[in-house]
Amino acid sequence: MELHAISFFDKVKQMQKAFDDEVWDLFQGAKERKWSPDRRPEANKGERAGPSPDTVLSWGGAQSIEIYERMVEQMEDDMEGVNPQTPLGSAAVTMYGEGSKLDSEEMEMELDAFRDQQAPALGSDSRNIADAVELAELVRAKYGKYHDVAILRNTGQIAMNLYGPHLSQRAFPYTEKQYIQKLSTIVLMLNDFDQAWYVKQFLLSPIVPRNGLPSTPRFDTAVTLRLNLSPTWKNVPKEIVDGWFAFSE
């Protein structure tokens, strides 16, 4: 009787999972296939991007995708229960890889030094984002993953969105090279708008829930930074903005 009950509940769980998968495919999977089709070459589809001899990303110092995934899992575990309005402390240890663990105080000093180095300064190169690699590393440093990024215009709002899908997923629709190419265009746009400093300031700030939305990118909800709320957005010429979006709208 007990074995029968266990078998029954196992079947219920399997049915529930199958139902959840069908719901995901119906509402989210279909949308992703439509709006974000897999752009990878056939030979790369279904493969996880990760550390390799040809990579241009740091991958947090990981030497393999397996190590990187463990680092991401550890960071997510460490972040559970952490007040997002307090300093990151030991929860940020995995940002810099397994070989460079520091205690909480030392990590805070390292993070402060990193923020100071990257802080925007009028009239200096640090006001801009140097390239796609810097943007990718800023995203990973804050959220632990190389999340997908896009800049969109909708009903007068200009926003940079950070989506749940990330580079190390099998289903992520870009190779590392394609991901860097996409971010290269975003960097050019941000620098042309002179809003790279605003994005850097956001990515270097603590993780804080905003307006009731999730504090980190999720599969169903993006983290959104409205560029048009920047204090210097009023200085961006309208023709420059229109020129960038003329090809995508």
Side-chain angles (χ1 to χ4, degrees):
M1 179 67 178
E2 184 177 349
L3 291 175
H4 176 75
I6 293 174
S7 176
F8 172 76
F9 285 117
D10 285 343
K11 288 181 179 179
V12 170
K13 289 180 180 179
Q14 291 173 1
M15 291 174 63
Q16 181 64 44
K17 184 180 186 304
F19 176 75
D20 291 344
D21 290 344
E22 289 178 4
V23 170
W24 159 261
D25 187 72
L26 178 63
F27 289 100
Q28 189 69 21
K31 183 171 70 173
E32 289 195 355
R33 286 192 295 274
K34 179 179 180 181
W35 298 111
S36 184
D38 198 329
R39 294 173 171 82
R40 295 173 293 181
E42 286 297 328
N44 297 110
K45 290 183 178 180
E47 292 184 355
R48 296 180 188 272
S52 72
D54 300 323
T55 187
V56 297
L57 299 173
S58 73
W59 292 95
Q63 299 300 307
S64 70
I65 186 62
E66 290 78 14
I67 294 175
Y68 181 73
E69 288 174 346
R70 288 201 297 269
M71 289 166 54
V72 170
E73 290 175 2
Q74 183 62 51
M75 181 177 183
E76 291 174 342
D77 289 344
D78 289 343
M79 286 300 294
E80 288 186 4
V82 175
N83 184 339
Q85 300 193 49
T86 61
L88 293 178
S90 59
V93 165
T94 54
M95 287 182 183
Y96 297 100
E98 291 294 316
S100 59
K101 287 188 176 180
L102 306 171
D103 63 31
S104 298
E105 184 176 351
E106 290 173 326
M107 178 55 69
E108 282 304 315
M109 292 175 62
E110 289 291 323
L111 287 173
D112 286 341
F114 178 66
R115 293 184 182 113
D116 289 342
Q117 179 184 4
Q118 297 293 331
L122 290 172
S124 75
D125 291 340
S126 65
R127 187 174 179 84
N128 290 337
I129 294 176
D131 53 28
V133 172
E134 181 183 6
L135 177 57
E137 297 297 351
L138 286 168
V139 171
R140 189 198 63 81
K142 180 162 186 173
Y143 298 111
K145 303 171 185 174
Y146 294 112
H147 286 286
D148 196 7
V149 183
I151 296 181
L152 305 174
R153 176 165 71 173
N154 186 26
T155 62
Q157 303 291 327
I158 312 293
M160 186 184 81
N161 286 351
L162 294 103
Y163 301 101
H166 51 88
L167 189 57
S168 58
Q169 290 178 313
R170 291 188 188 279
F172 193 67
Y174 303 97
T175 63
E176 179 184 315
K177 182 177 180 180
Q178 290 171 325
Y179 177 69
I180 291 298
Q181 289 173 341
K182 180 180 183 182
L183 263 57
S184 293
T185 301
I186 291 174
V187 168
L188 288 174
M189 185 183 297
L190 291 173
N191 288 338
D192 208 16
F193 293 165
D194 191 23
Q195 296 303 313
W197 71 270
Y198 187 63
V199 170
K200 290 171 73 172
Q201 185 180 70
F202 169 75
L203 292 174
L204 291 167
S205 66
I207 296 175
V208 178
R210 301 181 312 139
N211 301 324
L213 296 174
S215 56
T216 58
R218 302 191 325 194
F219 76 88
D220 58 345
T221 309
V223 169
T224 298
L225 176 67
R226 292 186 181 180
L227 301 180
N228 57 286
L229 296 184
S230 161
T232 61
W233 183 258
K234 62 182 180 296
N235 299 327
V236 183
K238 184 177 182 298
E239 56 270 22
I240 291 181
V241 177
D242 291 341
W244 274 104
F245 289 101
F247 300 101
S248 58
E249 296 179 342

